[in-house]
Amino acid sequence: MILESNATIQIQKPVKEVFEGIVNPENMTKYFISESSGRLETGKEVIWKFPEFDDKFPVNEIKIDNNSSISFVWDPETVVKITLEKLPDNSTIVRVNENGKELNENNLKWALENSGGWANFLACMKAYLEYGIQLRKGAFDFMRIK
């Protein structure tokens, strides 16, 4: 059995704005990551840094379908796919799916944690894109306390 992590949200912005909110590091650093080596583009590799971790995370095998989907690998066992769906009111449904790990106790913990992580990603993106609020700012400082 293959495990997957899922999260979905509706954002009151057009698909094009939501897409740019994901692929453009100037936007992503306002609600998700602290640094990026570049824009998400098909075939490119970028490096992400999160404020709560010392490590840097390579993001590769990037595939982009403009204003429709973004997929990438940042964990060699999984693929992340983000799909965007335009609604009649010009808002966007954003779905995140990360899958690929075999069922075992450690991977079940991963699936639960990542589902929460992707829900947090979506909530932070919604707050930023709709209202300019940076929910992640200071939210995980406690993780750096030793």
Side-chain angles (χ1 to χ4, degrees):
M1 176 180 194
I2 301 297
L3 292 171
E4 58 184 302
S5 172
N6 291 290
T8 304
I9 204 165
Q10 183 173 341
I11 298 179
Q12 306 303 312
K13 290 292 181 180
V15 167
K16 186 175 182 177
E17 283 185 49
V18 175
F19 179 80
E20 275 301 306
I22 299 168
V23 300
N24 185 336
E26 290 180 26
N27 292 319
M28 287 274 279
T29 56
K30 303 290 192 304
Y31 71 88
F32 187 51
I33 55 177
S34 59
E35 298 173 27
S36 176
S37 64
R39 182 180 177 87
L40 294 178
E41 297 175 333
T42 297
K44 189 174 177 183
E45 178 177 290
V46 299
I47 305 295
W48 282 349
K49 171 97 175 65
F50 292 84
E52 64 269 25
F53 302 114
D54 292 330
D55 296 338
K56 293 186 178 185
F57 298 86
V59 178
N60 51 54
E61 296 183 40
I62 299 168
K63 295 178 187 160
I64 302 293
D65 185 356
N66 278 345
N67 300 322
S68 179
S69 70
I70 299 123
S71 69
F72 57 86
V73 171
W74 66 351
D75 170 345
E77 294 180 54
T78 67
V79 174
V80 174
K81 184 163 187 177
I82 303 171
T83 56
L84 308 176
E85 177 186 340
K86 178 183 177 179
L87 295 179
D89 68 355
N90 211 24
S91 65
T92 304
I93 293 179
V94 184
R95 290 183 177 86
V96 180
N97 172 275
E98 184 172 10
N99 69 70
K101 290 188 183 276
E102 294 288 332
L103 175 60
N104 64 42
E105 190 173 326
N106 285 340
N107 290 345
L108 186 56
K109 181 181 175 195
W110 164 88
L112 293 170
E113 287 176 356
N114 274 28
S115 291
W118 286 118
N120 179 271
F121 162 80
L122 291 174
C124 290
M125 180 169 57
K126 180 177 179 70
Y128 175 70
L129 292 179
E130 289 184 10
Y131 306 103
I133 297 169
Q134 296 182 23
L135 289 179
R136 271 184 79 87
K137 187 173 184 176
F140 297 101
D141 288 353
F142 70 92
M143 293 176 71
R144 296 192 61 80
I145 298 170
K146 301 206 187 238

